[in-house]
Amino acid sequence: MPTKIVLGAQWGDEGKAKIVDYLTLDADIVVRYQGGANAGHTVIVGDTEFVFHMIPSGIMHEDKVCVVGNGVVVDPEEMLAEIEDLEQKGFDVAGRFFVSQIAHLVMPYHKALEKAAEESQGSVKIGTTGRGIGPAYRDKVERSYGVRMMDLLDPQRLRDKLEASIRAKNELLTKVYDQEPLESGPIVDAYIGYGEQLAPYVADVSVLLNQAIDQGKTVLCEGAQGTLLDIDHGTYPYVTSSNTTAGGACTGSGIGPTRVDEVIGVTKAYTTRVGNGPFPTELLGEAGERLRSLGHEFGATTGRARRCGWFDAAILRAASRINGLTSIALTRLDVLDELESLRLGIGYRYGDEILEEFPADPQVLEKCEPIYEEVAGWQTPTTDVRHIDDLPPQARIYVERISELSRAPVSLISVGPERESTIDVD
Ligand code: IMP
Ligand code: MG
């Protein structure tokens, strides 16, 4: 298997974890390339539950190597908690887990500043996950106070950097946000400790991955969040702070674009969004409630109820274009099994205009009315279907229409949470 990127084609929560788990069976290495502890998935093995925010869940496969690339902002406390949890439950990660030496860190002041900013009057209420992601990327880009994994390994360098940084952040916390200052001593000591514990895992990830590709190994790059949460291409400012799109897999891991063979966009058979921002096909009231309860749409990281709505093909066309999708993995088709009829958003009406492409201007998007195509429901359980030909005819029509409207072939269809509940179309 060649190098593949698997990423979210909508606003996150598309069911990437399940698709990544399925594709991991044929992979040697799984890499995360952006985001941080804002992403989350829960994996259940027998009666034991594992929650991952930092480490690729591919780590559950004992013969796989898992890597956190430089594009990720690392929360070392969270990363260590996950390693410890895995080891307590009998999974050995030594020698098969690596984190980039040039990845930036999330610090306690990032979380404190994010919270203060979101609560303060007059700031945009993005509805972040509160994991300090934006402030950590801000420091990376701003360049005065960014702290990287390699700094963790050098206690003196770390102490100097953190003391300067905490001094500056305390100015902000106390003078701008009227909050208590943070005490630097305990933070410095804690992070020196994290450095000692994480040292064995720190690596030059670009070298590691490219050598692996040279040796014919298969690499699976796992995106977090989704295309419309991309800092550039998403519904700005209601986005996350990283490039969730395919280019981010290259910059966030140190693999060149010419080495990537496939880009798979994961999309639900309907649409959800957590947090604020425009959502043209959103269903409010009872209809939205019904979809939420059929799909159990509550966030893995924050527990928040997800906003739900119809499938929106304009989003998928944008995802196909921006990511150069080679195929689509369609998830949660079974969630729609009961519905009498369904709607597919095929484009937008904006005043007198018909828009086929997803508009970049949020003010335009806010005023867009979706144009729907009505499709009959199949009202037949699909969870046990394993072959595309065995889908109820109406479900096949729905899938084919999604593929046509999205301008990409469907390679996988997920019809249930279990690994086996997957239709491999190819
Ligand atoms: P942040 O990533 O915590 O800065 O949050 C920015 C926006 O991205 C908010 O609307 C979040 O709800 C959304 N977001 C972040 N991570 C995820 C995710 O894993 N799934 C869905 N939405 C997310
Ligand atoms: Mg998630």
Side-chain angles (χ1 to χ4, degrees):
M1 187 184 84
T3 304
K4 294 188 182 185
I5 300 171
V6 180
L7 48 76
Q10 300 167 307
W11 276 294
D13 309 314
E14 297 92 347
K16 292 179 291 294
K18 145 99 194 243
I19 300 301
V20 167
D21 175 70
Y22 185 81
L23 296 173
T24 296
L25 298 175
D26 297 321
D28 298 298
I29 304 182
V30 185
V31 194
R32 266 197 69 182
Y33 56 83
Q34 44 70 230
N38 47 352
H41 20 264
T42 307
V43 180
I44 296 168
V45 179
D47 310 325
T48 318
E49 187 179 284
F50 297 81
V51 182
F52 295 101
H53 294 289
M54 287 298 332
I55 298 182
S57 50
I59 202 79
M60 309 293 296
H61 300 257
E62 304 243 357
D63 55 336
K64 310 295 177 191
V65 170
C66 286
V67 174
V68 170
N70 58 279
V72 172
V73 284
V74 174
D75 186 329
E77 187 180 7
E78 177 69 38
M79 184 174 272
L80 280 165
E82 288 174 20
I83 292 173
E84 199 173 311
D85 187 48
L86 280 162
E87 293 197 323
Q88 269 174 10
K89 290 170 181 161
F91 288 82
D92 197 4
V93 306
R96 59 184 197 96
F97 172 63
F98 300 97
V99 50
S100 169
Q101 57 184 351
I102 54 171
H104 280 249
L105 300 181
V106 178
M107 303 296 304
Y109 46 77
H110 293 134
K111 294 178 198 171
L113 284 166
E114 180 165 68
K115 183 159 179 279
E118 287 249 58
E119 284 168 1
S120 81
Q121 292 278 317
S123 61
V124 182
K125 301 277 180 284
I126 294 169
T128 71
T129 59
R131 300 303 181 103
I133 305 298
Y137 280 115
R138 184 166 65 216
D139 275 347
K140 171 178 176 173
V141 174
E142 202 271 340
R143 290 156 295 163
S144 301
Y145 300 112
V147 186
R148 302 195 288 179
M149 276 314 291
M150 59 168 66
D151 300 320
L152 269 190
L153 307 187
D154 179 344
Q156 193 52 51
R157 176 160 66 166
L158 182 66
R159 186 178 298 279
D160 293 345
K161 283 201 163 201
L162 287 186
E163 280 172 357
S165 174
I166 294 168
R167 211 171 314 128
K169 304 304 176 186
N170 278 342
E171 292 281 298
L172 270 176
L173 281 170
T174 57
K175 295 185 181 154
V176 176
Y177 294 115
D178 207 15
Q179 305 281 318
E180 292 298 312
L182 297 172
E183 218 187 306
S184 81
I187 299 177
V188 174
D189 291 345
Y191 275 69
I192 289 174
Y194 300 154
E196 285 165 4
Q197 294 177 72
L198 286 172
Y201 308 107
V202 179
D204 187 324
V205 160
S206 174
V207 170
L208 184 154
L209 293 175
N210 280 279
Q211 282 176 351
I213 296 171
D214 290 342
Q215 290 161 8
K217 297 260 168 66
T218 61
V219 175
L220 189 64
C221 302
E222 169 184 357
Q225 292 89 43
T227 297
L228 289 186
L229 289 171
D230 184 275
I231 183 71
D232 288 286
H233 298 285
T235 46
Y236 192 89
Y238 300 101
V239 293
T240 192
S241 307
S242 61
N243 284 115
T244 57
T245 43
C250 295
T251 56
S253 68
I255 299 175
T258 52
R259 309 210 86 180
V260 177
D261 303 282
E262 281 184 47
V263 185
I264 302 164
V266 185
T267 177
K268 277 179 183 157
Y270 49 99
T271 312
T272 64
R273 166 162 213 175
V274 207
N276 300 328
F279 178 174
T281 62
E282 181 169 18
L283 285 167
L284 301 167
E286 231 168 88
E289 209 51 72
R290 180 161 182 217
L291 213 45
R292 180 154 45 249
S293 79
L294 286 171
H296 311 287
E297 294 291 354
F298 296 89
T301 301
T302 59
R304 288 182 288 177
R306 296 180 183 138
R307 300 157 64 192
C308 297
W310 296 121
F311 185 85
D312 187 340
I315 293 177
L316 260 288
R317 283 195 290 275
S320 284
R321 166 168 42 82
I322 295 161
N323 298 301
L325 297 186
T326 53
S327 74
I328 288 174
L330 184 68
T331 64
R332 303 191 141 236
L333 187 67
D334 57 301
V335 168
L336 307 177
D337 284 350
E338 278 180 27
L339 301 184
E340 303 75 34
S341 75
L342 299 105
R343 294 177 126 193
L344 276 169
I346 59 170
Y348 307 121
R349 193 167 284 109
Y350 173 63
D352 301 336
E353 283 176 72
I354 304 285
L355 306 184
E356 221 177 281
E357 300 298 336
F358 191 80
D361 183 340
Q363 291 183 5
V364 173
L365 187 60
E366 289 280 6
K367 295 199 192 89
C368 280
E369 284 294 324
I371 301 168
Y372 286 117
E373 210 170 79
E374 193 95 22
V375 200
W378 44 95
Q379 298 190 276
T380 313
T382 55
T383 300
D384 296 327
V385 176
R386 295 292 172 268
H387 196 276
I388 180 114
D389 297 334
D390 299 329
L391 277 177
Q394 286 305 330
R396 276 200 67 164
I397 291 172
Y398 188 70
V399 172
E400 277 162 18
R401 195 65 187 125
I402 282 181
S403 172
E404 268 167 29
L405 291 167
S406 306
R407 300 182 185 146
V410 173
S411 56
L412 289 173
I413 304 169
S414 170
V415 286
E418 318 300 330
R419 187 184 289 162
E420 306 76 60
S421 311
T422 307
I423 301 172
D424 206 327
V425 180
D426 294 340

